[in-house]
Amino acid sequence: MAQDRPDIPTPLKRAVLVEAGHRCAIPTCRQTPVEIAHITPWTKVREHRFENLISLCPTCHARFDRGEIDRKAMLQYKGNLEVLNSRYTDTERQFLKVCVQNWEKFRSEHLNSDVTLDEFRQGRVVSLGNMKLHTDMWWLLSNLLDDGIITFSNELPALFENGLVTQVSLTDKGCSLIGRVVDAEPI
């Protein structure tokens, strides 16, 4: 840290960490421990503002400083955090996180493939994140359902040892959301 740069005030630092769940703000990383980074460098702005601070793991912070992750992507990661945190519950964000991680893993394993996200989602290659949910717990994902991001299976719920369950799947809109999150595009 530069000698003439004051420490980030504790309440501001806490707000930035809480915004990203005390994890790296890059959705395909989400590692700990984390550091607070200035999206526009301190040397240019000479102030600590919430809108310009983001939580990054040391690896992503170093990659950002070297230019491997550009400022435009970092601004989008910051903007996406605001949208996701203001709209979706922890459970819904966890579901989306699993989808993002699975898509990113799939993409890295099939760099030269022409398989599409839609084919990936439909399980032609590997499951994107379809999961089973107890039918009485549908409300856990109700915002995703209301926004058309997920759908529940039209089939009759299956009877399992612990009760009735139904399959939860991403819709086309949900796949588009996952693709935009992974590519650091506006959601």
Side-chain angles (χ1 to χ4, degrees), residues 176-187:
S176 177
L177 171 70
I178 297 303
R180 289 192 312 273
V181 168
V182 168
D183 292 335
E185 295 175 359
I187 57 173

Side-chain angles (χ1 to χ4, degrees), residues 1-2 14 17 19 26 34 37 48-49 57 59 68-69 93 95 98 105 108 111 113-114 117 119 132 135 152 160 177:
M1 179 166 69
R14 183 181 308 112
L17 292 171
E19 174 189 47
I26 296 178
V34 294
H48 303 304
R49 293 191 45 188
C57 72
T59 301
E68 294 173 23
I69 303 171
R93 287 192 308 269
F95 176 82
V98 168
K105 180 181 177 197
S108 68
L111 289 175
S113 172
D114 60 354
L117 179 60
E119 290 171 319
K132 293 186 178 10
T135 54
F152 294 117
F160 282 87
L177 171 70

Side-chain angles (χ1 to χ4, degrees), residues 7-46:
D7 289 340
I8 298 170
T10 301
L12 179 56
K13 186 175 182 178
R14 183 181 308 112
V16 173
L17 292 171
V18 167
E19 174 189 47
H22 290 287
R23 296 188 166 278
C24 183
I26 296 178
T28 55
C29 180
R30 305 294 293 152
Q31 295 298 309
T32 59
V34 294
E35 306 166 346
I36 305 295
H38 287 81
I39 298 170
T40 299
W42 164 261
T43 55
K44 289 185 180 180
V45 297
R46 304 205 54 83

Side-chain angles (χ1 to χ4, degrees), residues 31-152:
Q31 295 298 309
T32 59
V34 294
E35 306 166 346
I36 305 295
H38 287 81
I39 298 170
T40 299
W42 164 261
T43 55
K44 289 185 180 180
V45 297
R46 304 205 54 83
E47 66 179 344
H48 303 304
R49 293 191 45 188
F50 180 80
E51 300 78 21
N52 190 47
L53 298 172
I54 192 163
S55 173
L56 298 174
C57 72
T59 301
C60 290
H61 194 170
R63 291 181 63 216
F64 176 52
D65 287 345
R66 289 191 306 263
E68 294 173 23
I69 303 171
D70 68 14
R71 196 159 323 294
K72 184 177 178 183
M74 205 56 68
L75 287 167
Q76 197 55 63
Y77 290 134
K78 178 75 173 181
N80 288 350
L81 278 173
E82 182 181 347
V83 171
L84 292 173
N85 288 340
S86 66
R87 177 68 182 142
Y88 298 113
T89 65
D90 289 342
T91 303
E92 290 168 317
R93 287 192 308 269
Q94 185 68 23
F95 176 82
L96 293 172
K97 176 184 148 190
V98 168
C99 294
V100 164
Q101 289 172 335
N102 288 348
W103 173 240
E104 188 65 18
K105 180 181 177 197
F106 172 79
R107 246 187 8 184
S108 68
E109 292 171 356
H110 297 87
L111 289 175
N112 297 322
S113 172
D114 60 354
V115 176
T116 66
L117 179 60
D118 186 52
E119 290 171 319
F120 177 66
R121 174 184 63 89
Q122 293 177 15
R124 295 184 199 138
V125 180
V126 65
S127 174
L128 175 60
N130 293 344
M131 66 177 209
K132 293 186 178 10
L133 180 72
H134 191 281
T135 54
D136 290 341
M137 302 300 283
W138 66 269
W139 56 269
L140 286 171
L141 302 176
S142 62
N143 291 321
L144 291 173
L145 184 65
D146 291 346
D147 291 350
I149 304 299
I150 62 167
T151 186
F152 294 117

Side-chain angles (χ1 to χ4, degrees), residues 149-170:
I149 304 299
I150 62 167
T151 186
F152 294 117
S153 172
N154 289 333
E155 301 170 10
L156 290 174
L159 181 58
F160 282 87
E161 196 172 299
N162 295 328
L164 295 174
V165 297
T166 189
Q167 179 146 329
V168 181
S169 302
L170 286 171

